[in-house]
Amino acid sequence: MTKKHVLVIGGTGMLAGVSTWLVHEGYHVSIIGRCPIKHQHVKEKVSDPESITSIAVDYTNLSELKLQVEKTLKDNGPISTLISWSHSLDSLQTIVGILSNQQKPLELLHVKASRKYFQDDVLDIPANCQSKSVYLGFVLEGDHSRWLNHSEICNGIIESLQKQTHSSIIGVVKPYSRRPSSFTT
């Protein structure tokens, strides 16, 4: 039986826990991240490091990104799920464009900052793609607020992968004026 193939943009940093969870769930995971050392750290956290394809590339280098995504498709088969934590809409659109050519349906889980909840970018979604948005909010704790930690983010993304919803929020996004960067006591 062939493993399902997942591509994670940002899978060595904030989404490292999602990448390792996917491997433990039996997926082959291709990870795009800039730092080879972080790729190695993720591989060290799983029992089957061969289930991870490291793509050490800066996602803003679109020509190299395209080559590496095409290579992982050739080496590991079609991608069933794309999880993206990318600040570059151009890089995500490039990858989605490549994946629109595959026959297999694609699930896109687009992880976005809380401000995108109020003013979102438009992504051209192909017919073979089901798109979900996950907005990263913040946590209110009495008179204080804080940003989500990596564990909360990863748990929320895993929950979003398991649900059949169009969008979800991890933490809260309202009242936006209470987010950590603007709220003081």
Side-chain angles (χ1 to χ4, degrees):
M1 181 176 158
T2 305
K3 290 183 176 186
K4 284 189 175 182
H5 186 193
V6 177
L7 176 62
V8 183
I9 303 172
T12 61
M14 183 178 71
L15 301 184
V18 174
S19 297
T20 57
W21 177 81
L22 287 163
V23 170
H24 291 298
E25 290 296 305
Y27 292 90
H28 183 87
V29 183
S30 292
I31 302 173
I32 295 174
R34 291 178 277 226
C35 180
I37 293 170
K38 286 185 176 183
H39 281 276
Q40 188 57 40
H41 288 182
V42 172
K43 284 186 171 191
E44 290 169 357
K45 293 179 182 177
V46 298
S47 60
D48 183 13
E50 295 300 313
S51 289
I52 295 177
T53 297
S54 294
I55 304 172
V57 63
D58 182 338
Y59 61 78
T60 63
N61 181 341
L62 298 182
S63 59
E64 183 63 23
L65 179 65
K66 184 178 181 202
L67 287 173
Q68 294 300 324
V69 170
E70 288 171 346
K71 182 178 182 333
T72 199
L73 282 168
K74 181 181 175 196
D75 294 348
N76 302 302
I79 292 170
S80 60
T81 305
L82 168 60
I83 303 168
S84 174
W85 171 242
S86 167
H87 298 289
S88 168
L89 195 60
D90 290 340
S91 63
L92 180 55
Q93 191 67 68
T94 296
I95 293 171
V96 168
I98 294 166
L99 300 181
S100 69
N101 296 322
Q102 68 181 16
Q103 297 297 315
K104 185 176 184 104
L106 174 68
E107 177 184 23
L108 167 61
L109 191 93
H110 192 179
V111 182
K112 303 174 183 185
S114 57
R115 72 182 178 282
K116 296 297 183 184
Y117 181 79
F118 302 99
Q119 184 177 5
D120 211 345
D121 296 324
V122 177
L123 187 65
D124 184 24
I125 304 294
N128 72 327
C129 183
Q130 175 191 357
S131 178
K132 297 179 181 181
S133 297
V134 177
Y135 299 95
L136 302 180
F138 50 94
V139 177
L140 293 173
E141 296 176 330
D143 293 338
H144 302 284
S145 64
R146 65 171 175 81
W147 293 116
L148 297 162
N149 62 41
H150 287 200
S151 178
E152 291 165 332
I153 291 167
C154 288
N155 289 337
I157 290 170
I158 290 166
E159 185 177 313
S160 294
L161 283 167
Q162 296 170 329
K163 289 183 176 178
Q164 297 301 316
T165 59
H166 179 67
S167 68
S168 61
I169 299 169
I170 303 172
V172 298
V173 295
K174 295 177 182 179
Y176 196 63
S177 60
R178 292 208 44 205
R179 71 191 184 283
S181 61
S182 65
F183 182 71
T184 57
T185 57

